[in-house]
Amino acid sequence: MASAGLARLNGLFAAYKPPGKHWKYVRDTVELKLLQGLNALKRPAPLQQVRFLLGPKEGGEEKELTLTATSVPILANHPLVRGPSFTGLKIGVGHVLDIQASGVLVLGVGHGNKLLMDLHHAHLTKDYTVRGLLGKATDDFSDLGRLVEKTTYDHVTQEKLDRILAVIQGSHQKALVMHSRLDLKTQEAYELAVKGLIRPMDKAPMLILGVRCLEFSPPEFLLEIQCMNETQQQLRRVVHEIGLELKSTAVCTQVRRTRDGAFTVDDALPRTRWDLRSVQDAIREVKPRLEEELLKTWEVVLDSEQLPSP
């Protein structure tokens, strides 16, 4: 039934956003597919009403007409009269991705729109794979921008890159402690730091909690970055700054989000699965993990508020 199908559309799910597409395209396409699925479900049988219809009298020898009580369907609710039952769904979007980026895009439907706000305030971390190219610099830090400089990169080694990444991670971790307003001299705060559960207590800039090199094949390299409060353009700037620290230049050729909180790239539905049944299954499967992640985060927030500030 259509009403039962709509009742199961309450929660959060993830779709895979391809590069070159706006996030609004993903949201609007998912909404269209869900509406098509809901309207294709079996509708309840039309209501009946008693009408007195004029017809020939039964058993009469002469052609006499009489009124006969007859049950007929009410056509006011017929699909050809009323049109589709569902014409719109409110689908919210979590942390957006720009046109060039790809990866996990969290969407909410029904009461999932409220959960999107909870995710925003929980400050959950996100994972990205960022691909860079040495030897070039552009005006927008991407390989699609206007070329402004070319440099050599023969002197760049993975050891030098790893040292710079360690410095970046260390400086951002210090900033995280500052924005969390915690005193690491206390045992409770130290344990939170060891477990990686420190979260900023106020509006903070982009914070990189972890960064490492996955591949290094000059001029290309691939980074894995764990961060929060970021934009994809800021990640491209990080690649640019890494190139400068290496006494060279670098542009970003790919930004791909592989995790957004409890949602991984395996949870993200490809375009071929943006249908009603797949979305309903995705909402059901991720619900326990999402509740556990939010509960753990809010417990950490409450504990942090009780800890003394430096």
Side-chain angles (χ1 to χ4, degrees):
M1 300 293 285
S3 58
L6 181 62
R8 294 174 57 194
L9 278 180
N10 275 296
L12 298 179
F13 63 98
Y16 189 89
K17 177 197 167 301
K21 297 291 185 180
H22 200 281
W23 61 264
K24 291 182 180 179
Y25 163 82
V26 178
R27 182 197 62 187
D28 295 345
T29 304
V30 170
E31 179 184 4
L32 177 62
K33 295 290 186 181
L34 293 180
L35 289 174
Q36 290 175 346
L38 288 172
N39 289 318
L41 295 177
K42 183 179 179 181
R43 298 191 181 193
L47 299 176
Q48 301 288 320
Q49 64 178 351
V50 177
R51 299 288 298 272
F52 289 92
L53 302 179
L54 192 64
K57 185 178 181 180
E58 295 182 1
E61 296 180 357
E62 299 181 1
K63 295 182 179 180
E64 298 181 5
L65 298 178
T66 183
L67 292 175
T68 306
T70 308
S71 178
V72 296
I74 299 177
L75 297 180
N77 293 326
H78 194 280
L80 297 179
V81 176
R82 187 175 180 179
S85 299
F86 302 94
T87 57
L89 285 174
K90 185 178 180 181
I91 297 182
V93 182
H95 302 103
V96 299
L97 291 166
D98 62 25
I99 292 181
Q100 298 179 33
S102 62
V104 180
L105 182 67
V106 178
L107 303 173
V109 61
H111 72 257
N113 289 282
K114 181 180 180 299
L115 291 176
L116 287 175
M117 294 301 299
D118 294 337
L119 284 181
H120 175 74
H121 295 300
H123 296 291
L124 299 179
T125 60
K126 296 178 282 295
D127 290 348
Y128 289 85
T129 55
V130 180
R131 191 173 296 275
L133 181 69
L134 294 168
K136 292 182 179 180
T138 60
D139 58 347
D140 64 353
F141 315 128
S142 75
D143 58 331
L144 301 178
R146 180 175 59 86
L147 183 66
V148 296
E149 186 179 4
K150 279 190 174 183
T151 57
T152 60
Y153 53 86
D154 297 337
H155 60 284
V156 177
T157 63
Q158 185 167 357
E159 289 75 18
K160 293 180 180 179
L161 176 60
D162 289 338
R163 284 199 297 268
I164 292 174
L165 297 181
V167 172
I168 293 175
Q169 179 173 322
S171 62
H172 279 261
Q173 287 178 345
K174 290 181 180 178
L176 174 61
V177 173
M178 179 184 68
H179 287 284
S180 67
R181 301 201 300 265
L182 294 179
D183 184 5
L184 287 184
K185 295 179 181 179
T186 62
Q187 181 64 25
E188 294 83 357
Y190 176 77
E191 291 177 355
L192 289 177
V194 170
K195 296 178 182 179
L197 296 178
I198 293 181
R199 296 291 183 267
M201 299 300 293
D202 50 13
K203 188 174 181 180
M206 180 184 72
L207 297 171
I208 296 178
L209 282 70
V211 55
R212 65 190 181 107
C213 180
L214 298 179
E215 298 177 9
F216 184 77
S217 180
E220 295 184 354
F221 60 93
L222 180 65
L223 305 178
E224 182 183 57
I225 301 178
Q226 184 184 87
C227 54
M228 61 175 63
N229 301 337
E230 82 295 337
T231 66
Q232 290 75 56
Q233 186 63 14
Q234 287 175 323
L235 295 176
R236 297 185 185 98
R237 176 182 282 274
V238 169
V239 173
H240 169 74
E241 293 174 349
I242 289 174
L244 296 180
E245 291 294 331
L246 290 170
K247 303 298 188 291
S248 182
T249 54
V251 294
C252 181
T253 60
Q254 182 190 61
V255 176
R256 180 172 179 259
R257 183 189 289 162
T258 58
R259 183 182 63 84
D260 187 348
F263 297 89
T264 66
V265 71
D266 294 331
D267 300 317
L269 300 175
R271 184 176 179 179
T272 55
R273 296 184 58 202
W274 293 353
D275 56 86
L276 179 62
R277 178 62 63 84
S278 297
V279 170
Q280 290 173 335
D281 293 342
I283 292 175
R284 185 186 69 253
E285 291 173 2
V286 80
K287 184 178 179 180
R289 284 190 287 123
L290 180 62
E291 292 177 347
E292 180 182 356
E293 186 77 17
L294 287 176
L295 180 61
K296 180 177 65 175
T297 302
W298 287 120
E299 288 178 350
V300 170
V301 171
L302 292 176
D303 292 341
S304 301
E305 291 177 347
Q306 298 173 1
L307 295 177
S309 300

